[in-house]
Every structure is written in C-alpha cells, then in structure tokens.
Amino acid sequence: MRILIAGGTGFIGRAMANAWAPEHTVRVLTRDPQPARKRLPERVEPVLWDGTTLGEWINTLAESEVLVPWFEAPTARAHVRRELVAMVARAEAIADG
C-alpha cells in the first residue's frame, strides 16, 4: 500500500512510519526534507511541502492510496490541516479542468 503521512516527522508520526515501512511504501510530507531524512526510517521518503504551492507533493498525494493527516499538536497545527485541505481541493479543481 502507498501511504502518505502529513505531519509524520514528529514522535507519533515517525512511529507510524516505522511500523508501516517494512510492508508498505511510506512517504512523509515535510517542510524540510534533509533533516527529516535523518529522523525517519531508511525506507521512508520525505516529500517537500511548503503549505502554499502545488509542488511535487501533489503528485505524491495522487499516487498514494492512504493519506494520514497526522499532527502532534492538533490545536497548534489547525492552520496546517486547513492549508492541506485547501491545497488538495485546489489540485482537484485543476485536475477536473
């Protein structure tokens, strides 16, 4: 299964990635891929997401079978969830023409 975790570089997100990586393709959306690569299990791929542009991450999302919108501090990261939902809606609108 192809799994994309939004917010997967924190304590719980890394634990999920580590648990799923042996049997699945796991990618993690992150604002800073280089440090994330050092923190994530070897088989987990960090994908750049800046929260404002439709970048390569949108292709990763389209290829994924599961999106896990995980953020360790839900109230502090509510704006990030809203941005992610808005970006997905924008991408869908573009795809629909």
Side-chain angles (χ1 to χ4, degrees), residues 55-73:
E56 181 61 31
W57 72 271
I58 201 69
N59 294 326
T60 302
L61 175 63
E63 295 166 357
S64 299
E65 296 171 280
V66 176
L67 171 63
V68 180
W70 180 258
F71 304 97
E72 288 184 32

Side-chain angles (χ1 to χ4, degrees), residues 30-81:
T30 179
R31 288 167 289 186
D32 205 348
Q34 290 297 38
R37 186 170 303 283
K38 295 174 187 174
R39 297 176 68 190
L40 293 168
E42 186 176 316
R43 291 190 44 170
V44 176
E45 178 187 352
V47 176
L48 177 64
W49 177 67
D50 65 8
T52 59
T53 60
L54 292 175
E56 181 61 31
W57 72 271
I58 201 69
N59 294 326
T60 302
L61 175 63
E63 295 166 357
S64 299
E65 296 171 280
V66 176
L67 171 63
V68 180
W70 180 258
F71 304 97
E72 288 184 32
T75 55
R77 302 282 182 152
H79 70 282
V80 176
R81 279 196 312 275

